Amino acid sequence: MAFFITSSPHAHSYKSTRTIMKMVALATIPGLIAQTYFFGWGTILQVFIAIITAILAEALILLCRKRPLAPYLSDNSALLTGLLLALAIPPLSPWWITVIGVTFAIVIAKHLYGGLGQNIFNPAMAAYVVLLISFPVQMTTWLPAKELLIESISFSDSIWLILNGLNQDGFSVHQLTMNVDGMTMATPLDTVKTGLKAGLTTNEILSAPIFNGIAGLGWLWVNIGFLLGGVFLLQQRLIHWHIPVSFLVSLFIVSGMFSLLSPDTATSPMFNLFSGATMFGAFFIATDPVSAATTSKGRLYYGALIGALVYIIRTWGGFPDGVAFAVLLANMCVPLIDYYTKPRTYGHKKG
């Protein structure tokens, strides 16, 4: 019997890039369903526009780079980028918001750095931040959950609103965000930030109609949906536990400290864990294997940094949620984190 000697590494993953990307996309389904249920058909329409745009942009840039289309388009990376960005933007954003964002994610944030595996920033979050800074009104106009709407929004209404900004009855997205008292309904995070600036206490703010439970009507279930998807990713060993766990623990600890020190002006840890894009960011964004830290200890530091930054930006930043900014700032720190957390080579003295 012949004995073959091979060099390390000997570990082998039987999941191709195409399979991994597809399974991550499937893991978003619980969150996608919850988001569609509470915030309307616009989410599904944005996903459709984003995926089509991502595939077309990927094909165009591949032709410009003189690369073969079939192997790159079939790896599902462009599809996943479009899907993640579509889930992050308001469901009734104008169609051109999605097209601009996805095109930037594919052409600039991904291929400008060399393509899949070379990008230093998470493409979906880089595009999200560009959109948020360039079009703050459109990117912060979320409808309240369907229970708080004056009139329901049908599938055809969603199409009209996304394509021309008005539904079939002539109402704009801004008009549809008004409740029965004529007050604009913002997201829970935005409501908290605005209320605190107006001098209200957290208890007074949480008495608003948009709050019904831990983290706001609809948002709790959206976060639970993405949490379930994240558990699936962990169970399939498609992501490491270090980043999402350290992210959530860090956010819990930091928000808990401020909640104890100033209960009238700080939100609770549970509110922070189940509002905004917390679970989506922890399991689907921060865990991007290309732009995240690569060492085990480094992943813990990386996730903890994001969790702390999310709370800081939510509390003192200019935008309601801070997940995208926190992830990009942590992406910048990855080379430094990996350098100081790389494992010592066996047989070599430390230092």
Side-chain angles (χ1 to χ4, degrees):
M1 179 182 293
F3 181 75
F4 296 98
I5 300 177
T6 59
S7 61
S8 62
H10 303 287
H12 177 70
S13 173
Y14 293 97
K15 293 185 177 69
S16 64
T17 300
R18 178 182 181 180
T19 300
I20 292 173
M21 297 292 178
K22 182 172 66 176
M23 293 180 73
V24 173
L26 291 174
T28 65
I29 290 177
L32 173 62
I33 292 173
Q35 193 164 309
T36 302
Y37 177 79
F38 286 102
F39 300 106
W41 290 103
T43 300
I44 299 294
L45 295 172
Q46 296 291 359
V47 167
F48 177 78
I49 295 171
I51 290 176
I52 295 298
T53 303
I55 293 174
L56 291 177
E58 181 91 347
L60 179 61
I61 198 67
L62 287 173
L63 289 174
C64 293
R65 296 182 64 193
K66 298 180 180 180
R67 299 290 180 88
L69 296 182
Y72 288 97
L73 289 177
S74 63
D75 66 8
N76 293 325
S77 61
L79 180 149
L80 182 61
T81 298
L83 172 62
L84 295 179
L85 182 59
L87 291 172
I89 66 176
L92 295 180
S93 296
W95 63 270
W96 48 267
I97 287 282
T98 307
V99 171
I100 292 173
V102 173
T103 303
F104 180 91
I106 298 297
V107 176
I108 305 298
K110 179 182 177 182
H111 280 281
L112 186 65
Y113 290 94
L116 181 64
Q118 305 298 320
N119 50 284
I120 61 175
F121 297 107
N122 182 287
M125 289 302 96
Y128 179 87
V129 167
V130 167
L131 291 175
L132 188 60
I133 295 173
S134 303
F135 312 104
V137 175
Q138 291 84 354
M139 288 296 292
T140 55
T141 306
W142 281 79
L143 285 178
K146 63 177 185 178
E147 288 85 350
L148 299 176
L149 291 174
I150 297 176
E151 62 176 74
S152 61
I153 300 176
S154 65
F155 181 79
S156 58
D157 280 333
S158 299
I159 296 176
W160 278 71
L161 285 163
I162 290 172
L163 293 181
N164 61 25
L166 299 173
N167 67 1
Q168 297 177 86
D169 296 323
F171 290 101
S172 67
V173 176
H174 177 72
Q175 290 172 317
L176 293 171
T177 63
M178 310 290 281
N179 68 3
V180 292
D181 297 321
M183 299 296 291
T184 300
M185 301 293 292
T187 63
L189 287 171
D190 198 26
T191 301
V192 169
K193 185 180 289 289
T194 303
L196 290 175
K197 288 181 179 179
L200 300 176
T201 65
T202 52
N203 287 333
E204 291 172 333
I205 296 169
L206 294 176
S207 64
I210 198 171
F211 296 100
N212 183 17
I214 296 174
L217 193 60
W219 292 96
L220 171 64
W221 290 105
V222 170
N223 275 275
I224 290 176
F226 287 119
L227 173 60
L228 293 175
V231 172
F232 169 77
L233 295 178
L234 290 172
Q235 188 271 330
Q236 293 293 316
R237 297 185 178 181
L238 296 175
I239 61 175
H240 297 279
W241 64 267
H242 307 71
I243 293 175
V245 170
S246 59
F247 178 146
L248 299 177
V249 169
S250 173
L251 180 58
F252 183 89
I253 292 174
V254 174
S255 59
M257 289 172 54
F258 282 96
S259 180
L260 290 173
L261 292 172
S262 181
D264 290 335
T265 59
T267 51
S268 69
M270 295 305 293
F271 174 85
N272 281 281
L273 288 180
F274 290 97
S275 62
T278 301
M279 296 298 171
F280 178 66
F283 291 99
F284 293 91
I285 301 301
T287 54
D288 174 23
V290 177
S291 57
T294 57
T295 66
S296 295
K297 188 184 294 185
R299 293 188 186 108
L300 292 174
Y301 293 144
Y302 175 80
L305 175 62
I306 295 175
L309 287 172
V310 166
Y311 184 80
I312 291 170
I313 297 170
R314 283 180 177 179
T315 306
W316 296 286
F319 295 97
D321 205 349
V323 172
F325 290 100
V327 169
L328 294 185
L329 289 171
N331 288 161
M332 296 180 188
C333 300
V334 164
L336 189 66
I337 293 173
D338 281 346
Y339 178 81
Y340 283 104
T341 59
K342 61 184 177 181
R344 181 163 54 94
T345 305
Y346 182 75
H348 287 249
K349 291 183 179 180
K350 188 174 182 179

